[in-house]
Amino acid sequence: MMAAVEPSVIDPTLRDQLDIVIPTIRNLDFLEMWRPFFENYHLIIVQDGDPTKVIKVPEGFDYELYNRNDINRILGPKASCISFKDSACRCFGFMVSKKKYIYTIDDDCFVAKDPSGNDINALEQHIKNLLSPSTPFFYNTLYDPYREGADFVRGYPFSMREGAPTAVSHGLWLNIPDYDAPTQLVKPSERNKRYVDAVMTIPKGSLFPMCGMNLGFNKDLIGPAMYFGLMGDGQPIGRYDDMWAGWCVKVICDHLGLGVKTGLPYIWHSKASNPFVNLKKEYKGIFWQEEIIPFFQQVVLPKEALTVEQCYLELSKQVKEKLSTIDPYFTKLSEAMVTWIEAWGELNAPDKAGADMGPSKVGKKLAAASA
Amino acid sequence: MMAAVEPSVIDPTLRDQLDIVIPTIRNLDFLEMWRPFFENYHLIIVQDGDPTKVIKVPEGFDYELYNRNDINRILGPKASCISFKDSACRCFGFMVSKKKYIYTIDDDCFVAKDPSGNDINALEQHIKNLLSPSTPFFYNTLYDPYREGADFVRGYPFSMREGAPTAVSHGLWLNIPDYDAPTQLVKPSERNKRYVDAVMTIPKGSLFPMCGMNLGFNKDLIGPAMYFGLMGDGQPIGRYDDMWAGWCVKVICDHLGLGVKTGLPYIWHSKASNPFVNLKKEYKGIFWQEEIIPFFQQVVLPKEALTVEQCYLELSKQVKEKLSTIDPYFTKLSEAMVTWIEAWGELNAPDKAGADMGPSKVGKKLAAASA
């Protein structure tokens, strides 16, 4: 494993401080299109499904790959908190990364073009979002005040102009929008063609549907809350992994005074998933969320909860207490939240050497660096 | 006065249901550029400053004009709540309008162009914003879900997809941004060139700096809260008229479950006001707002306050109680808020004939209609 690098001057590309996490079940040909933007970064590939399948990674990428056997070996009994046969498994990659920043992207996402026809460097925009403050406490009508050519408008309190540290950068999607199964069924041919040239801070107190397709975050600030829950194999629900993480992340960011941004960058989302399959996965979520969201809108975390871990454990208690009445699944989920934090603590302890943490497969650049 | 028209089918242009309110001290040559968009609407011109000055209105517009003498005659002693020598006087126009919708615009605002080079029909966009719901209770990452080509994304609760009635449509400005004096001084040549193709709902619980330059609202839903305060002549503060209205409006909309939108449409703001003059007007506001905004962020309106008037009177009490410690001005302001509601009630009583409410001057279309 590469050690985290803390340069005295921040490299604005974050080349040594950011990992790209990709959950997948197939060969990663999509990386060819991303080569100019990703080739200098380290990839963490989380292989879902059959661990004996060989995933091909295009040559020249610096990566480590973990399959289910690796996850079981590294986490032991705590591997139960990592979903199987669902892209929720990506959060294992967040856990094993040793970097300060994470960017995660789905393998059906390609490079989008801006209105001038130029390729969008999504990662560069996420880094800009993460390295500049957010404005969760008051709305700026000209959007991101830290962007070139913009500022705070008249009436924006000066004491709030330093903003808040940015924990999350949520990017969007051109082409196939991230719709639920009912909307997919009703509007099978709707495509997102609107490029909105803005980055917004989601105000304090407001929840949002966080999508994991194109997502950056600061692991030091919010990592332990980026748990994608229990989904897929053996679970009554799927396609709510990123939503769950987003609700938890947002209430904790609000409590700790951290910022969450959404908007730019866009990626090109190529494939609509099957709406019938999706409906089966998500139908329980569609009615559960009617109770889950009011729960998250009303959650109050105690003042004593000062770290993300403390907040998350408190949240797990309240989930057990208040959501278990919906379905026994939430008891299991609340316990998995605790297991996740325990596993996180083990892998992210400051002195962790990680003897048995090696991935199954590493790409050549990493191998060379480790030699 | 024209009577309010309530057609059985809503005309999507709202031609008979919307008034355009313009505060001014000069000839309204700027209307020439707006002729294609405004000529079918009724204008209410509020003449500020010297009432003996003659304001020229380009031919063919249907208007009524009120100067200070009219305001004093119509409101009697209650005219004290209407500011003099400040664009805050515009709210008198809101009060005398008999229409359901108001659009107000400054006379240094011109027609902007969209990125394709087409003239933007700002009024048409405001009407679209006002006639479609808002989404204050949960953030939709693809922005306005009611717009063609967009919808609610995965994870957006179905029970919230009807949204909330829209009370306010806050439009933006290309060219000269709406900066405070310190920012104008520091960045004298900054221009807003970014066209962001989006309309946002400002989430419940989040305040924003409302600018009166390019603003639409539903008078039936929020009118009595659109009071622009005591500014200008004889007052210790200026340039906070729209901010004050915006804070009051937003907390009342949040309390009553109404929506506030910001974003499109853009107008072209032509002239930067003098930053030195502005600094003199606004410097007290710059530090007062550091206490006013936390006050508005914490305001709780009682459940019993069910109408805008009730909410506004309650707010006036809390202003007196909690802001008078900043400066005696706030005692005066809280009293003016009560006077405003009383005057509003008189002019907007259902059976109000308005015998002595005639304006000084009317344009020929109105004169013809009244004849």
Side-chain angles (χ1 to χ4, degrees):
Chain A
M1 298 290 293
M2 290 175 72
V5 178
E6 284 292 348
S8 52
V9 177
I10 293 177
D11 169 8
T13 71
L14 297 184
R15 187 192 302 209
D16 299 317
Q17 294 189 78
L18 182 144
D19 281 340
I20 299 174
V21 173
I22 303 165
T24 194
I25 52 169
R26 58 177 76 88
N27 294 335
L28 293 176
D29 304 327
F30 92 112
L31 284 173
E32 282 301 350
M33 196 179 186
W34 289 103
R35 190 180 288 276
F37 306 119
F38 290 178
E39 64 184 351
N40 289 319
Y41 293 86
H42 182 65
L43 312 180
I44 296 178
I45 298 160
V46 184
Q47 177 179 350
D48 199 18
D50 180 4
T52 65
K53 185 174 169 184
V54 176
I55 300 283
K56 283 187 196 151
V57 181
E59 277 207 16
F61 281 96
D62 172 23
Y63 72 94
E64 52 196 297
L65 181 149
Y66 298 89
N67 62 31
R68 190 69 207 184
N69 293 338
D70 300 314
I71 295 172
N72 290 340
R73 177 173 45 79
I74 292 166
L75 293 184
K78 295 194 178 73
S80 62
C81 73
I82 304 295
S83 299
F84 186 46
K85 295 192 179 170
D86 192 285
S87 69
C89 69
R90 80 172 83 219
C91 63
F92 179 77
F94 307 160
M95 198 180 245
V96 294
S97 166
K98 295 294 169 198
K99 305 288 174 58
K100 184 172 177 180
Y101 299 95
I102 302 281
Y103 174 53
T104 183
I105 182 170
D106 280 4
D107 62 8
D108 63 347
C109 292
F110 294 88
V111 177
K113 287 192 186 292
D114 70 20
S116 309
N118 301 313
D119 281 354
I120 297 169
N121 185 344
L123 185 51
E124 183 181 47
Q125 180 67 48
H126 278 293
I127 290 169
K128 276 186 194 166
N129 294 348
L130 290 168
L131 293 182
S132 64
S134 296
T135 53
F137 310 119
F138 200 78
Y139 195 96
N140 194 49
T141 51
L142 285 184
Y143 311 109
D144 181 0
Y146 306 107
R147 194 169 169 186
E148 210 186 304
D151 212 313
F152 292 96
V153 299
R154 180 170 58 93
Y156 202 102
F158 279 83
S159 64
M160 293 181 185
R161 295 190 185 195
E162 287 195 9
T166 303
V168 177
S169 168
H170 178 259
L172 300 176
W173 343 277
L174 289 172
N175 195 38
I176 309 284
D178 187 31
Y179 287 164
D180 48 62
T183 309
Q184 280 185 297
L185 289 164
V186 171
K187 294 179 155 184
S189 55
E190 190 154 287
R191 297 294 177 264
N192 185 27
K193 295 171 183 169
R194 184 172 299 122
Y195 181 95
V196 175
D197 186 16
V199 179
M200 321 274 162
T201 293
I202 301 177
K204 184 176 176 179
S206 187
L207 293 175
F208 78 116
M210 187 179 82
C211 170
M213 252 194 277
N214 173 27
L215 180 70
F217 64 93
N218 181 321
K219 185 174 163 175
D220 285 1
L221 291 180
I222 199 64
M226 274 289 176
Y227 175 48
F228 274 48
L230 293 176
M231 303 280 147
D233 196 49
Q235 308 301 341
I237 184 173
R239 280 171 61 83
Y240 271 86
D241 52 338
D242 41 7
M243 297 299 138
W244 181 260
W247 299 325
C248 294
V249 158
K250 189 58 168 54
V251 298
I252 293 175
C253 283
D254 284 352
H255 176 74
L256 296 176
L258 302 171
V260 175
K261 291 181 184 175
T262 183
L264 301 181
Y266 287 94
I267 51 78
W268 180 264
H269 184 206
S270 67
K271 281 178 298 206
S273 44
N274 184 310
F276 299 98
V277 172
N278 290 347
L279 186 61
K280 197 173 163 188
K281 288 178 181 173
E282 73 188 29
Y283 80 97
K284 288 195 176 173
I286 284 172
F287 42 102
W288 288 352
Q289 74 186 357
E290 298 291 341
E291 294 183 60
I292 298 172
I293 285 167
F295 162 77
F296 277 103
Q297 286 177 328
Q298 286 154 32
V299 156
V300 178
L301 296 172
K303 280 186 187 163
E304 299 71 41
L306 297 174
T307 66
V308 179
E309 285 88 341
Q310 287 166 350
C311 291
Y312 203 74
L313 290 173
E314 172 64 28
L315 206 49
S316 75
K317 272 186 225 164
Q318 298 192 26
V319 166
K320 182 174 272 176
E321 207 179 295
K322 299 198 176 144
L323 295 182
S324 292
T325 51
I326 302 177
D327 192 279
Y329 165 75
F330 290 94
T331 305
K332 211 165 57 167
L333 177 56
S334 72
E335 288 160 2
M337 291 167 75
V338 176
T339 306
W340 160 264
I341 291 293
E342 289 168 356
W344 183 278
E346 285 177 17
L347 295 194
N348 289 276
D351 58 346
K352 179 69 191 173
D356 60 353
M357 274 179 58
S360 271
K361 198 177 159 191
V362 293
K364 62 181 173 183
K365 283 192 192 173
L366 179 66
S370 307
Chain B
M1 301 289 294
M2 291 175 73
V5 178
E6 284 291 347
S8 52
V9 177
I10 292 178
D11 168 7
T13 70
L14 297 184
R15 187 191 303 208
D16 299 317
Q17 294 189 78
L18 181 143
D19 281 340
I20 300 174
V21 173
I22 303 165
T24 194
I25 51 168
R26 59 176 75 89
N27 294 335
L28 292 176
D29 304 326
F30 91 112
L31 284 172
E32 281 303 349
M33 198 180 185
W34 288 103
R35 190 180 288 276
F37 306 119
F38 290 177
E39 65 185 350
N40 290 320
Y41 293 87
H42 181 66
L43 312 181
I44 296 178
I45 298 160
V46 184
Q47 176 179 350
D48 199 17
D50 180 5
T52 65
K53 185 174 168 182
V54 176
I55 299 283
K56 283 187 194 150
V57 181
E59 276 206 17
F61 282 96
D62 173 24
Y63 72 94
E64 53 196 298
L65 182 149
Y66 298 89
N67 61 31
R68 190 70 207 182
N69 293 338
D70 299 314
I71 296 172
N72 290 340
R73 175 173 46 80
I74 293 166
L75 293 184
K78 295 195 179 72
S80 61
C81 73
I82 304 296
S83 299
F84 187 46
K85 296 192 180 168
D86 192 285
S87 70
C89 68
R90 80 173 83 219
C91 63
F92 179 76
F94 308 160
M95 197 180 244
V96 294
S97 167
K98 295 292 169 200
K99 306 289 174 59
K100 186 172 176 181
Y101 299 94
I102 302 281
Y103 174 53
T104 183
I105 183 171
D106 280 5
D107 62 9
D108 62 347
C109 292
F110 293 88
V111 177
K113 288 191 185 293
D114 69 20
S116 308
N118 301 313
D119 281 353
I120 297 168
N121 185 343
L123 186 51
E124 183 180 48
Q125 180 67 49
H126 277 293
I127 290 169
K128 277 186 193 167
N129 294 349
L130 290 168
L131 293 182
S132 64
S134 296
T135 54
F137 310 119
F138 200 78
Y139 194 97
N140 193 48
T141 51
L142 285 184
Y143 312 109
D144 181 0
Y146 306 106
R147 192 168 170 185
E148 210 185 304
D151 211 313
F152 292 96
V153 300
R154 180 171 59 92
Y156 202 102
F158 279 82
S159 63
M160 293 181 186
R161 294 190 185 195
E162 288 195 10
T166 302
V168 177
S169 168
H170 178 259
L172 299 176
W173 342 278
L174 289 172
N175 195 37
I176 308 284
D178 187 31
Y179 286 163
D180 49 61
T183 309
Q184 280 185 298
L185 289 165
V186 171
K187 294 178 155 185
S189 55
E190 190 154 288
R191 297 293 177 265
N192 185 26
K193 295 171 183 167
R194 183 173 299 120
Y195 181 95
V196 174
D197 186 15
V199 180
M200 322 274 162
T201 293
I202 300 178
K204 184 176 175 179
S206 188
L207 293 176
F208 78 117
M210 187 178 84
C211 170
M213 252 194 279
N214 172 26
L215 180 71
F217 63 93
N218 181 320
K219 185 175 163 174
D220 285 1
L221 290 180
I222 200 63
M226 274 290 176
Y227 175 47
F228 274 48
L230 293 175
M231 303 280 147
D233 196 50
Q235 307 301 340
I237 183 173
R239 280 171 61 82
Y240 271 86
D241 52 338
D242 41 7
M243 298 298 139
W244 181 260
W247 299 326
C248 295
V249 157
K250 188 59 169 55
V251 298
I252 293 175
C253 283
D254 285 352
H255 176 75
L256 296 176
L258 302 171
V260 175
K261 292 181 184 176
T262 183
L264 301 181
Y266 287 94
I267 50 79
W268 180 266
H269 185 208
S270 66
K271 280 178 297 203
S273 43
N274 183 311
F276 298 99
V277 173
N278 290 347
L279 186 61
K280 196 172 163 188
K281 287 179 181 173
E282 73 189 30
Y283 80 97
K284 287 195 176 173
I286 284 173
F287 42 101
W288 287 352
Q289 73 185 358
E290 298 292 341
E291 294 182 60
I292 298 171
I293 285 167
F295 162 76
F296 277 103
Q297 286 177 328
Q298 285 153 32
V299 156
V300 178
L301 296 172
K303 280 185 187 164
E304 299 71 40
L306 298 174
T307 66
V308 179
E309 284 88 342
Q310 287 165 351
C311 291
Y312 202 75
L313 290 173
E314 172 63 28
L315 206 49
S316 76
K317 272 186 223 162
Q318 296 192 27
V319 165
K320 182 175 272 177
E321 207 179 295
K322 299 198 177 145
L323 294 182
S324 293
T325 51
I326 302 178
D327 192 280
Y329 166 75
F330 290 94
T331 305
K332 210 163 59 167
L333 177 55
S334 72
E335 288 160 2
M337 291 168 75
V338 176
T339 306
W340 160 264
I341 291 294
E342 288 168 358
W344 183 278
E346 285 177 18
L347 295 195
N348 289 276
D351 58 346
K352 179 69 192 174
D356 59 354
M357 274 177 58
S360 270
K361 198 175 159 192
V362 293
K364 61 180 175 184
K365 285 191 189 173
L366 178 67
S370 309

